[in-house]
Amino acid sequence: MRNPRAFLRPLAVGAPKPSSDVPFRPSRMIHFFDPSNEKMAAKVPDIAKKVDIILGNLEDAVKTEKKEAARQGLIDIAKATDFGDTQLWTRVNSLDSPWVLDDIVTLVTEIGDKLDVIMVPKVEGAQDIHYVDRLLAQLEARAGLDRQILVHAILETAEGVANVEEIAAASPRMQGISLGPADLAASRRMKTTRVGGGHPGYIVRQDPTGEDLTTGRATYQQDLWHYTIARMVDACAMNDILPFYGPFGDIKDVVACEDQFRNAFLLGCVGAWSLHPVQIDIAKKVFSPSPEDVAHAKRVVEAMGDGSGAVMIDGKMEDDASCKQCLVMLDLAKSLAERDPDLAAAYDL
Ligand SMILES: CC(C)(COP(=O)(O)OP(=O)(O)OC[C@H]1O[C@@H](n2cnc3c(N)ncnc32)[C@H](O)[C@@H]1OP(=O)(O)O)[C@@H](O)C(=O)NCCC(=O)NCCSC(=O)C[C@](C)(O)C(=O)O
Ligand SMILES: [Mg+2]
């Protein structure tokens, strides 16, 4: 582990200095596209205007024979597109794959000035982040970049979950972590076949009221991901980096997608992935606080003055701690309002 004074020193001569703060830009959805798919790629300039983050995916969901075309496609799109204040990310191939070294070297060299964040899949411990950290510093120095490219880890192995706190703290380059429920399910040998979401078999059942065990007992579906998301949120919050729910693979089930995203939002995640254009508006809706919640937060903060003491609002006690929750809500609303004129009008801040 690096000593605290060395933590913020560049890892290569001439590399940009690490920042002590992760920029908290609006990050409600990370929209995935396959840069080797011409139809998807053609939509990127328009989609980029609607999303907070657009991500060129090079890893799973890109066919083996298209890996190099996807890498080159992302370079071409990045060079040809003005992304405005939308963040450009990529997901590179996993660190044990034959493609990742060329992914990182080529992308930083060619479009390092345009890339905000590199998402690294299947991160298992701090050692994976340290490897990417040093490599990026060397490449940034060689490319003459004046700002660091940040790193986002996907939590998608049992080992990664067990080490999530050390992953979150591994480098000042860490921007955040996403849940990868499909690979994580496989790694844990969970008996599911889905990409995120619930399962009808994962339930609790009401106690029997008499001798009859088989009828009249309600069942309640439980959330398979609660433990992992909560643990990820804590690891991120304690290190001032950002937690995200990952993908929801049942594209047609927009209702359950909204539920899964909202659970993550309420637990502390700042955003989720959109795999299909239909999921962009779901994420925008869920990860933007409602105007009612923002109005309530404003009332509480105004009534609390310097934030100490206790007051009654609408029959409920408000104090320092509820005031702090309201400030979290207002900070988010303000940063979203700066980017989104409709929200600015709705929030009236
Ligand atoms: C699901 C799929 C196959 C349905 O694709 P489709 O073509 O069948 O859908 P569609 O409804 O017919 O599409 C309508 C139009 O939208 C376009 N379109 C469709 N999607 C997009 C998109 N994302 N961005 C931009 N455009 C898109 C599509 O090309 C089409 O264009 P057209 O009208 O001109 O014909 C397709 O949406 C897709 O491939 N999405 C991305 C999938 C992906 O990135 N998966 C990897 C992330 S999840 C993951 O890796 C797991 C994780 C974390 O690692 C772990 O849990 O372990
Ligand atoms: Mg995966």
Side-chain angles (χ1 to χ4, degrees):
M1 194 156 145
R2 263 180 280 166
N3 80 58
R5 268 182 290 277
F7 199 63
L8 289 175
R9 281 183 209 140
L11 287 176
V13 175
K17 192 172 170 348
S19 163
S20 57
D21 295 318
V22 173
F24 185 12
R25 297 164 66 184
S27 304
R28 294 164 293 182
M29 72 298 288
I30 306 171
H31 183 75
F32 269 59
F33 74 97
D34 172 356
S36 74
N37 178 321
E38 284 175 15
K39 273 198 202 164
M40 276 195 211
K43 293 187 168 56
V44 165
D46 278 342
I47 287 186
K49 295 188 189 116
K50 292 190 233 158
V51 300
D52 295 335
I53 299 163
I54 185 121
L55 179 147
N57 176 34
L58 308 185
E59 201 224 7
D60 295 355
V62 175
K63 285 182 102 41
T64 303
E65 61 272 23
K66 293 282 193 73
K67 291 288 185 187
E68 282 169 22
R71 189 191 298 141
Q72 187 56 47
L74 178 57
I75 291 168
D76 295 343
I77 291 166
K79 286 188 171 168
T81 311
D82 176 2
F83 292 96
D85 57 2
T86 298
Q87 300 177 53
L88 176 66
W89 293 22
T90 184
R91 176 170 79 169
V92 294
N93 285 286
S94 62
L95 296 179
D96 60 356
S97 75
W99 305 287
V100 65
L101 185 59
D102 286 336
D103 289 345
I104 298 178
V105 171
T106 313
L107 292 177
V108 177
T109 306
E110 296 278 341
I111 55 167
D113 55 334
K114 289 215 150 182
L115 274 179
D116 291 291
V117 174
I118 293 182
M119 181 184 273
V120 183
K122 303 176 178 80
V123 171
E124 304 213 298
Q127 71 281 2
D128 290 339
I129 302 300
H130 294 159
Y131 166 75
V132 175
D133 201 4
R134 179 78 74 173
L135 179 59
L136 285 178
Q138 293 166 341
L139 294 169
E140 287 165 343
R142 196 171 69 178
L145 300 183
D146 54 14
R147 131 192 102 76
Q148 269 210 323
I149 298 169
L150 300 180
V151 169
H152 183 102
I154 316 181
L155 207 54
E156 49 184 349
T157 66
E159 195 171 335
V161 176
N163 292 327
V164 64
E165 291 85 7
E166 68 164 47
I167 292 170
S171 160
R173 212 186 269 280
M174 281 301 294
Q175 179 273 347
I177 302 181
S178 287
L179 173 73
D183 270 301
L184 181 56
S187 165
R188 282 177 171 162
R189 301 194 190 94
M190 288 166 65
K191 306 303 179 293
T192 54
T193 55
R194 303 172 172 205
V195 178
H199 193 286
Y202 194 67
I203 56 172
V204 291
R205 187 181 300 270
Q206 215 174 35
D207 279 1
T209 47
E211 294 298 308
D212 183 1
L213 300 182
T214 54
T215 53
R217 298 172 64 187
T219 58
Y220 304 93
Q221 198 171 319
Q222 306 292 296
D223 182 358
L224 284 169
W225 305 110
H226 180 267
Y227 155 75
T228 315
I229 293 177
R231 196 161 164 201
M232 176 181 77
V233 167
D234 282 343
C236 288
M238 73 182 269
N239 287 287
D240 282 336
I241 66 172
L242 309 179
F244 292 71
Y245 177 75
F248 190 86
D250 193 343
I251 308 286
K252 292 266 178 292
D253 192 349
V254 291
V255 177
C257 176
E258 182 171 332
D259 294 338
Q260 179 79 68
F261 284 7
R262 184 165 293 103
N263 288 350
F265 175 65
L266 289 170
L267 277 181
C269 291
V270 298
W273 301 6
S274 53
L275 301 185
H276 185 279
V278 77
Q279 295 182 333
I280 295 172
D281 283 339
I282 302 174
K284 194 173 274 189
K285 175 178 166 196
V286 170
F287 290 97
S288 309
S290 71
E292 295 74 30
D293 280 346
V294 174
H296 174 74
K298 211 159 75 171
R299 273 179 77 201
V300 172
V301 169
E302 279 163 10
M304 284 294 296
D306 72 353
S308 64
V311 294
M312 281 282 272
I313 295 182
D314 299 337
K316 296 191 181 71
M317 188 278 295
E318 307 287 349
D319 68 357
D320 306 46
S322 61
C323 185
K324 281 185 200 142
Q325 293 174 65
C326 291
L327 287 169
V328 168
M329 190 81 78
L330 284 180
D331 281 351
L332 175 58
K334 279 180 193 149
S335 79
L336 295 178
E338 276 169 24
R339 182 171 167 76
D340 186 332
D342 292 341
L343 284 179
Y347 292 157
D348 189 25
L349 289 168

